[in-house]
Amino acid sequence: MEALIPSPAACEVRSMIKFFNAQSIAPIEIHRQLCQVYGPNIMSKQMVRRWCRQFSEGHQSVHDEERSGRTSLINDDRVELVRQCVMENRCFTITELSSHFPQISRSLLHEIVTKHLLFKKVCARWVPKNLTPEHKMQRLGAALTFLQRYHDDGNEFLDRIVTSDETWISHFTPETKQQSMHWRHSGSPVRTKFKQMLSVQKVMCTVFWDRKGILLIDFLLRGETVNADRYYETLRKLRRAIQNKRREMLTAGVVLLHDNARPHTARRTAAVLTEFGWELFYHPPYSPDLAPSDFHVFLHLKKFLSSGERFGNDEELKTSVTRWFHSQAAEFYDRGIQKLIPRYDKCLNSDGGYVEK
């Protein structure tokens, strides 16, 4: 028998039973009529008789009554006990926590920790230095100065900034852990990766750039070190490069932003900057998060070098690195200088603390 009304709600069928029962129709007849309308499998005869008996005894509701079910093991007192235990040892595991609460399952403990207490487990963030109050005050001072200059001069201030830094580049740079990630499903074989190290052969590279692009790339010869004399010669090369590429910058005035390494703060360096009439913007110590070369340019350079290519000699490495620097669009370098604004702002809002991103 095909149902005239398929898939009715349970309360609808019970309402029909209540209606027919009020008319003193026999349960067997009620069941027959229900089957004609809703199909033969709508309800058994025994269930129809049961509902008829309940309605005759004064039962009125056609809906299911709420069931109390099993009492939940999660209550405010238990959540508070778990919170106290977590606060005593932030490095706990769920297994260790379950030893303190043997009456609660591991899954329930995990639910209390994550959903009720809103804890999540994260690794400690690496920072270059445990900053002292003096270091933080220096960072705050630099942030206030930069933001005030940007507020007063806007993009004209950013146009004058020339930033630089040194970095080692190796003949071989292994891929990062993030680069080795790949998609897999539960049936995929486990991929293995052997440990690789940076090659011993490497070259020191000094890069000067502004928001429009590269100004100077200077590679250190083997056996040389970056000292005040060597940096003095590099700055003279930089001035000639600016004169050839950004002559208008010499008229507006160069704002040099580099870190406070010894060659950068030497007397001879200060003397040549005074000779050029360049302004040296103060860079606080232990602050790679405020150095555009560290948090922007070198970060992308390392990703390029970690592609797995192995260079045969220094010249191949220098050529490849130089080509990469010049292949980046002006927007890439402009973005690096622009990032200084939100980074100094975050540094200011965090009372001189480190800026993660």
Side-chain angles (χ1 to χ4, degrees), residues 125-128 139 178 288-291 294-296 299 303 335-336 338-350 353-357:
R125 182 164 65 94
W126 180 89
V127 294
R139 287 168 58 86
Q178 185 177 10
D289 58 326
L290 301 178
D294 283 323
F295 67 70
H296 184 67
L299 182 66
K303 289 181 180 179
R335 192 163 61 248
Q338 291 282 354
K339 284 180 181 179
L340 282 170
I341 303 168
R343 280 180 171 265
Y344 275 116
D345 186 58
K346 289 179 181 178
C347 176
L348 189 65
N349 293 330
S350 63
Y354 278 114
V355 180
E356 187 171 0
K357 290 183 180 180

Side-chain angles (χ1 to χ4, degrees), residues 132-293:
T132 64
E134 182 182 357
H135 293 148
K136 291 184 178 181
M137 287 300 297
Q138 292 170 335
R139 287 168 58 86
L140 282 173
L144 281 169
T145 303
F146 183 93
L147 294 174
Q148 186 62 50
R149 292 283 298 276
Y150 178 72
H151 179 268
D152 294 339
D153 301 334
N155 284 328
E156 293 181 3
F157 174 58
L158 300 184
D159 289 337
R160 297 172 55 195
I161 294 178
V162 174
T163 184
S164 73
D165 209 342
E166 297 88 13
T167 185
W168 284 106
I169 51 176
S170 300
H171 283 211
F172 173 74
T173 305
E175 66 177 2
T176 63
K177 188 175 182 180
Q178 185 177 10
Q179 288 175 316
S180 65
M181 295 176 66
H182 66 288
W183 293 101
R184 65 186 299 273
H185 54 74
S186 57
S188 299
V190 178
R191 184 186 178 194
T192 58
K193 181 177 175 8
F194 61 90
K195 186 176 181 179
Q196 294 177 303
M197 304 294 291
L198 288 168
S199 64
V200 177
Q201 294 178 314
K202 56 186 179 181
V203 178
M204 173 67 77
C205 175
T206 303
V207 183
F208 292 86
W209 57 283
D210 66 352
R211 65 186 304 186
K212 294 181 181 179
I214 289 293
L215 293 169
L216 177 67
I217 304 173
D218 188 39
F219 295 100
L220 206 65
L221 297 176
R222 288 186 179 273
E224 287 187 333
T225 57
V226 180
N227 51 31
D229 294 334
R230 183 67 170 79
Y231 197 63
Y232 170 86
E233 297 298 331
T234 304
L235 288 176
R236 290 206 167 273
K237 292 180 184 178
L238 173 63
R239 191 179 188 281
R240 290 194 293 270
I242 294 176
Q243 190 173 7
N244 294 331
K245 298 179 180 180
R246 312 273 197 277
R247 182 176 292 271
E248 71 283 356
M249 184 179 285
L250 293 179
T251 304
V254 174
V255 178
L256 183 62
L257 174 61
H258 59 191
D259 61 24
N260 49 11
R262 286 179 179 267
H264 301 171
T265 58
R267 291 181 180 179
R268 193 169 189 189
T269 301
V272 74
L273 293 179
T274 302
E275 177 188 339
F276 293 163
W278 291 0
E279 177 188 349
L280 179 63
F281 188 85
Y282 175 71
H283 181 79
Y286 309 111
S287 300
D289 58 326
L290 301 178
S293 295

Side-chain angles (χ1 to χ4, degrees), residues 73-74 78-79 81-83 85-86 92-119:
L73 293 176
I74 301 178
R78 188 155 285 161
V79 170
L81 290 174
V82 174
R83 189 193 69 82
C85 192
V86 170
F92 73 93
T93 64
I94 296 297
T95 301
E96 293 171 346
L97 194 62
S98 64
S99 64
H100 294 82
F101 302 94
Q103 72 278 19
I104 308 177
S105 66
R106 290 162 52 90
S107 59
L108 205 58
L109 278 174
H110 186 271
E111 180 182 343
I112 292 174
V113 171
T114 57
K115 295 184 178 180
H116 292 266
L117 296 176
L118 301 180
F119 280 105

Side-chain angles (χ1 to χ4, degrees), residues 304-319:
F304 162 73
L305 292 173
S306 61
S307 60
E309 184 176 0
R310 190 182 296 272
F311 299 96
N313 52 56
D314 291 352
E315 294 305 317
E316 287 184 12
L317 178 60
K318 293 176 183 179
T319 302

